[in-house]
Amino acid sequence: LDSPSCVMDRAFFTDPHSYFGTNPRKELEKQDAELMREISLTSATRFPLLKAPSMTKASAFPKLTDKGGQRYVSEANPAIKFSHGTTTLAFVFKGGVLVSVDSRASMGSYIGSGTVKKVIPIHKYLIGTMAGGAADCSFWERNLAMQCRLHELREGKRISVAAASKLLGNVVFQYRGYGLSMGTMIAGMDEKKGPALFYVDSDGTRLKGNLFSVGSGATYAYGILDNEYDPDMDEKAAVELGKRAIYHATHRDAYSGGTINTFVIRESTGYEQVFKGDMNELHYGQYAEEAAAEAAAEAGDAKVSMDES
Amino acid sequence: AKERSAQPSAHSGTHAAAMSYDRAITVFSPDGHLFQVEYAMEAVKNGTTAVGVRGKGTVVLGVEKKSAAKLQEPRTMRKIMKLDRHVSLAFAGLVADARVLVNKARLECQSYRLTMEDSPTVEYVSRFIAQVQQRFTQRGGRRPFGISNLIAGFDADGTANLYQTDPTGSHTAWKALAIGRNAKSVREFLEENYAEHATAEEKGDVDAPIKLAVKALMEVVESGAKNIEIAYMKPGQPLKTLPADKVAAMCKEIEKQKEADKRKKKTKKTAK
């Protein structure tokens, strides 16, 4: 992969107006109408036995934004950088690395899927998360998995997390300006150096750290994480924290939701999914119970203190 | 690249076949030889001797220095080169070829450090050098490198390594090896004496590998200490050259030991 195999017209990303012309919406509608005409024409004349599709108005196609027909939200309003509709988090703790993600894929205000697998296993001791463009993340991380396997075959030992994240970062940097959208975390276990966590994004940023959260819901997750994170937590506490942080993010962020998937990467056994639960079930189940219990405890305390005074 | 036809000459026979099959590097001879590669090995045999010894706590590279001409500036370390902080290389053969290969290897070491955020193992470096040497036996119509290399160093985890590469492009690990002129006799000497020095090192003689290298070189170097260059590495430490006076002292000691052994043998004989 020395050079991109498909060269795109970058003008499309830097200045869509110039690409579309002065009135983008009319242009698109014209194109759509022409396409529909062509389809119905083709099927009628060439395949008379096929029923022509019912004529739908081009503008009935789901518009991803109501900003004049542009199809990429971030280009519609560059001041508001649309930060990858998702919440993913990962942190290093005593027992390894914990990774927790949601499972919603949104296209603007349309929920594309509620069951996206945002954790991509690279090998037994290394996983990557997905935020941003699903295709970009899954393709490049699978490509990274291939490179890691080759490394292992050539060198006879596992690739380090630092090197794996460096490979991904370098590749992504080559495509800088081509419109890749990825905010991923590479989390894993080194044979000698222990747990490691790197944040890699499509700008080419690569950061080593102990705690990261990526996505539109990251701020909500950070609120919970920064409050309760302790590098000496045991696994149970870490899983609970990862669950809770994602839950809070999915509760408040419109672009995060679905099921919460939590993984732990342990030194001895590699990665394992330790939790998979719908956030609504948590909301009305475990957390509702906890809130009720807390309220009861507080009421009990208040009563005791009232009796005393 | 020029296309050379692989047709046998008018008078075919192994000698004439050798004539027409040795021109182009990318052509096998009918009996399966790559003559250019074999001629490169001959060039190596013409080069000055280089010796490598792998101990547990020390790896040693020793070379035979050609005596400098009167007006020439004697430069140390022309034949023992640093590839990285923890890897060094000694070669036998064409000096200019070695420089090209060493430059490539140095670049690869740094490139590895940049991409992998870790130091390359000695095995990786020697594999890379071997791959470069192999490429020049197969593609591009270029001649092979006329050098064999001894690559020595310690990995980050403290294991000692000594690898050899040759013009064919193979790389192998060795406990001790000699290449270049008189390599055969030096190799025999090393085979006879390696075990003794290995046990001496285990028992606490830290300099045993260095002594072995000096002894081995003294077998074939005529003028003794001033034409021997020794460099050694220890885990986590850069390459160090043994200063000339120390080399001279070691050589004297070794000569004394030899004399003493000779006398012992003589007295044994007369006693019998």
Side-chain angles (χ1 to χ4, degrees):
Chain A
L1 287 159
D2 292 331
S3 56
S5 50
C6 74
V7 180
M8 295 183 69
D9 181 7
R10 292 167 60 181
F12 181 75
F13 293 102
T14 48
D15 188 10
H17 284 288
S18 70
Y19 188 87
F20 281 115
T22 42
N23 196 336
R25 191 187 186 115
K26 276 231 171 85
E27 196 76 358
L28 276 177
E29 286 196 349
K30 216 174 20 169
Q31 281 175 18
D32 285 344
E34 248 173 79
L35 194 67
M36 288 308 292
R37 218 179 337 115
E38 201 186 26
I39 292 171
S40 56
L41 223 84
T42 318
S43 43
T45 54
R46 291 194 202 168
F47 310 104
L49 292 177
L50 275 174
K51 244 179 127 180
S54 52
M55 192 67 188
T56 51
K57 235 183 129 200
S59 51
F61 284 118
K63 279 282 190 281
L64 301 169
T65 163
D66 41 17
K67 290 251 180 200
Q70 281 115 329
R71 297 210 159 137
Y72 293 83
V73 180
S74 53
E75 301 313 316
N77 201 336
I80 307 170
K81 188 98 201 280
F82 192 35
S83 68
H84 327 307
T86 191
T87 313
T88 59
L89 66 87
F91 57 82
V92 173
F93 70 104
K94 194 175 60 180
V97 191
L98 186 114
V99 178
S100 197
V101 300
D102 76 318
S103 68
R104 175 171 292 184
S106 45
M107 297 190 287
S109 58
Y110 172 73
I111 297 178
S113 166
T115 53
V116 178
K117 287 211 175 102
K118 294 190 187 180
V119 164
I120 297 158
I122 295 170
H123 66 63
K124 195 176 166 198
Y125 293 90
L126 198 62
I127 59 182
T129 61
M130 179 198 295
D136 291 337
C137 287
S138 82
F139 177 84
W140 287 113
E141 288 182 25
R142 294 181 75 215
N143 183 274
L144 176 65
M146 179 209 71
Q147 286 180 295
C148 292
R149 277 200 292 275
L150 277 174
H151 177 100
E152 214 175 306
L153 283 169
R154 285 194 198 113
E155 310 300 324
K157 55 181 177 171
R158 252 159 49 200
I159 192 171
S160 65
V161 184
S165 59
K166 194 65 159 271
L167 288 175
L168 182 66
N170 285 347
V171 161
V172 151
F173 184 77
Q174 284 187 309
Y175 285 80
R176 202 172 137 97
Y178 281 77
L180 280 186
S181 164
M182 292 172 48
T184 174
M185 292 179 288
I186 304 294
M189 265 304 200
D190 282 332
E191 277 171 294
K192 292 206 178 123
K193 293 187 194 155
L197 174 62
F198 286 84
Y199 164 74
V200 179
D201 80 12
S202 46
D203 299 330
T205 308
R206 177 176 162 270
L207 300 168
K208 185 177 198 312
N210 287 330
L211 170 69
F212 285 111
S213 180
V214 182
S216 56
T219 41
Y220 307 110
Y222 274 130
I224 305 299
L225 285 171
D226 289 337
N227 224 7
E228 292 177 41
Y229 172 66
D230 174 14
D232 293 321
M233 303 191 273
D234 63 356
E235 190 177 308
K236 194 153 169 257
V239 173
E240 188 53 42
L241 179 61
K243 239 170 63 185
R244 189 183 298 270
I246 298 284
Y247 157 75
H248 280 276
T250 56
H251 183 58
R252 282 293 176 184
D253 181 30
Y255 302 102
S256 305
T259 48
I260 300 171
N261 293 304
T262 310
F263 293 74
V264 169
I265 310 172
R266 298 187 199 98
E267 185 177 353
S268 44
T269 51
Y271 79 85
E272 189 198 332
Q273 178 153 20
V274 291
F275 179 75
K276 181 193 173 80
D278 190 286
M279 55 93 46
N280 280 316
E281 281 170 27
L282 277 178
H283 180 73
Y284 294 109
Q286 181 191 349
Y287 293 139
E289 286 166 23
E290 279 178 18
E294 228 180 277
E298 271 176 36
D301 285 342
K303 189 161 181 285
V304 165
S305 61
M306 274 181 72
D307 288 344
E308 280 180 359
S309 64
Chain B
K2 283 200 207 148
E3 290 290 302
R4 298 196 196 269
S5 69
Q7 289 151 18
S9 56
H11 35 269
S12 56
T14 38
H15 177 72
M19 296 279 279
S20 50
Y21 287 104
D22 64 6
R23 297 286 150 71
I25 178 57
T26 50
V27 177
F28 275 108
S29 70
D31 53 350
H33 290 262
L34 286 169
F35 281 110
Q36 278 302 306
V37 176
E38 292 181 12
Y39 297 164
M41 311 267 258
E42 290 294 315
V44 170
K45 284 188 199 155
N46 290 338
T48 52
T49 320
V51 152
V53 177
R54 183 191 85 193
K56 258 214 159 150
T58 322
V59 213
V60 190
L61 291 171
V63 294
E64 173 196 350
K65 257 194 316 191
K66 269 199 199 128
S67 20
K70 278 196 186 152
L71 293 175
Q72 191 178 37
E73 293 275 8
R75 252 173 51 201
T76 49
M77 305 304 272
R78 271 180 310 137
K79 281 193 65 178
I80 303 178
M81 304 184 166
K82 215 161 51 154
L83 296 182
D84 199 349
R85 219 181 302 149
H86 63 302
V87 192
S88 313
L89 175 147
F91 66 92
L94 304 172
V95 179
D97 284 8
R99 209 177 48 233
V100 171
L101 208 52
V102 163
N103 281 339
K104 283 189 210 262
R106 283 175 177 159
L107 186 62
E108 180 64 18
C109 286
Q110 296 313 307
S111 176
Y112 187 97
R113 279 182 186 272
L114 180 61
T115 325
M116 299 303 194
E117 294 194 345
D118 201 2
S119 57
T121 56
V122 180
E123 196 271 330
Y124 178 88
V125 179
S126 47
R127 196 177 351 134
F128 171 77
I129 293 173
Q131 277 168 357
V132 174
Q133 289 193 277
Q134 192 279 339
R135 217 174 296 148
F136 281 65
T137 69
Q138 195 171 23
R139 265 194 288 156
R142 299 172 285 194
R143 67 161 176 83
F145 287 91
I147 46 169
S148 275
N149 301 295
L150 290 171
I151 298 135
F154 281 89
D155 288 341
D157 60 0
T159 34
N161 293 283
L162 176 68
Y163 281 87
Q164 182 226 12
T165 66
D166 60 18
T168 59
S170 62
H171 72 294
T172 38
W174 291 77
K175 291 182 191 150
L177 181 64
I179 52 175
R181 233 195 317 251
N182 307 309
K184 200 157 173 235
S185 47
V186 180
R187 224 180 281 190
E188 281 165 5
F189 178 87
L190 287 171
E191 279 174 19
E192 281 167 28
N193 292 280
Y194 180 80
E196 178 194 324
H197 285 77
T199 41
E201 195 194 4
E202 266 174 48
K203 287 193 183 154
D205 182 5
V206 195
D207 290 334
I210 302 178
K211 284 186 196 153
L212 179 60
V214 176
K215 276 191 206 175
L217 275 173
M218 282 184 70
E219 292 280 306
V220 292
V221 173
E222 297 101 25
S223 7
K226 59 182 166 71
N227 281 355
I228 292 178
E229 184 104 37
I230 301 281
Y232 63 94
M233 306 185 73
K234 292 193 190 273
Q237 287 178 28
L239 183 74
K240 289 206 182 101
T241 334
L242 210 58
D245 53 352
K246 283 227 172 105
V247 178
M250 235 183 217
C251 286
K252 263 197 192 153
E253 214 186 288
I254 290 167
E255 300 246 316
K256 268 195 210 159
Q257 193 70 30
K258 265 194 197 168
E259 301 274 310
D261 290 340
K262 259 192 208 164
R263 261 181 270 129
K264 266 194 202 160
K265 276 193 188 157
K266 265 191 181 164
T267 50
K268 266 194 186 162
K269 268 190 176 168
T270 51
K272 283 184 187 160

